[in-house]
Amino acid sequence: MMTSFFDQFASPSFLGIPLIAIAIALPWILFPTPPSRWLNNRLITLQTWFINRFTNQLLLPLNVGGHKWALLFASLMVFLITINMLGLLPYTFTPTTQLSLNMGFAVPLWLATVIIGMRNQPTVALGHLLPEGTPIPLIPVLIIIETISLFIRPLALGVRLTANLTAGHLLIQLIATAVFVLLPMMPTVAILTASVLFLLTLLEVAVAMIQAYVFVLLLSLYLQENV
């Protein structure tokens, strides 16, 4: 039984060909392309408004040099939200439950922020490793601790997104299984459990959007330290 609960996180394949590439490419097909007309329909207007609001909120604390990342951050945010939301549909696969995919996003982007800081302002970037006013005997220990915390950042980004989505999917499957088991024996309890399942599904929709926002927000904070 426990093996079947985790089967939903296995990458699907057809004739030995992994289908994760289709799951990753599908979100971009669903977004409407803005036409060349002056007036857009309601869906494109709502999509444009959401992206503009998100970009303005995210890049507000950054200086002009960090605004070059606006397109990357907005695209990553929309991509993660769409993948997370599609993963809540029945008989679908959520690529962001794979730690390898999330680390593939986190490590290069985090490394890019570090390289930018070391290239543009190396003194300030290295200064983050040693807080001001540190006692002399604690300097070697604090440098080691800050260096470790720096390299843990991409791991924390990937694990946070993976763990939250995986835990939510497991809870939904466990409660849904309990509903089917209790329905013939205790219908009243099954109905109450189904109401809990409905509320949990709404919570997972919020988690899917919040985790995508947190992922991009933390990247912007890392960028803010280095530009």
Side-chain angles (χ1 to χ4, degrees):
M1 177 63 74
M2 292 304 296
T3 304
S4 63
F5 286 154
F6 289 92
D7 282 347
Q8 61 176 318
F9 304 115
S11 179
S13 60
F14 181 72
L15 298 178
I17 302 175
L19 300 181
I20 188 173
I22 298 178
I24 294 176
L26 182 61
W28 302 117
I29 304 175
L30 300 177
F31 291 110
T33 304
S36 57
R37 301 191 300 268
W38 284 9
L39 296 178
N40 297 324
N41 57 33
R42 292 182 178 87
L43 180 59
I44 296 180
T45 302
L46 181 62
Q47 173 183 302
T48 306
W49 175 84
F50 170 76
I51 294 177
N52 288 337
R53 291 291 297 175
F54 165 74
T55 306
N56 291 335
Q57 184 70 24
L58 191 67
L59 300 181
L60 190 61
L62 297 178
N63 57 22
V64 180
H67 293 178
K68 300 175 183 178
W69 290 61
L71 180 60
L72 177 62
F73 283 157
S75 302
L76 182 61
M77 171 74 174
V78 173
F79 177 73
L80 291 177
I81 286 181
T82 309
I83 282 187
N84 295 347
M85 297 290 286
L86 290 177
L88 295 174
L89 298 176
Y91 304 104
T92 56
F93 170 69
T94 312
T96 44
T97 57
Q98 305 295 313
L99 182 60
S100 58
L101 177 68
N102 296 332
M103 292 301 293
F105 284 131
V107 173
L109 294 175
W110 164 82
L111 187 60
T113 61
V114 173
I115 292 175
I116 287 177
M118 295 298 294
R119 185 188 65 179
N120 295 340
Q121 43 185 9
T123 304
V124 177
L126 293 176
H128 292 303
L129 300 178
L130 184 63
E132 187 177 356
T134 304
I136 295 178
L138 296 179
I139 288 178
V141 178
L142 281 180
I143 291 178
I144 295 175
I145 293 176
E146 292 295 331
T147 304
I148 293 175
S149 66
L150 177 65
F151 284 96
I152 284 179
R153 284 180 175 181
L155 182 63
L157 278 177
V159 171
R160 181 186 295 107
L161 183 58
T162 304
N164 281 281
L165 296 179
T166 303
H169 284 65
L170 282 176
L171 277 176
I172 289 177
Q173 186 169 1
L174 286 170
I175 297 179
T177 304
V179 171
F180 282 107
V181 171
L182 294 173
L183 191 58
M185 297 183 295
M186 293 179 287
T188 305
V189 178
I191 293 174
L192 293 176
T193 309
S195 63
V196 174
L197 177 62
F198 175 73
L199 296 176
L200 180 62
T201 303
L202 295 180
L203 177 63
E204 281 305 308
V205 171
V207 168
M209 294 186 290
I210 291 173
Q211 288 304 316
Y213 176 74
V214 169
F215 189 91
V216 180
L217 177 63
L218 289 177
L219 283 174
S220 69
L221 293 179
Y222 299 158
L223 179 65
Q224 183 182 355
E225 294 180 356
N226 294 283
V227 294

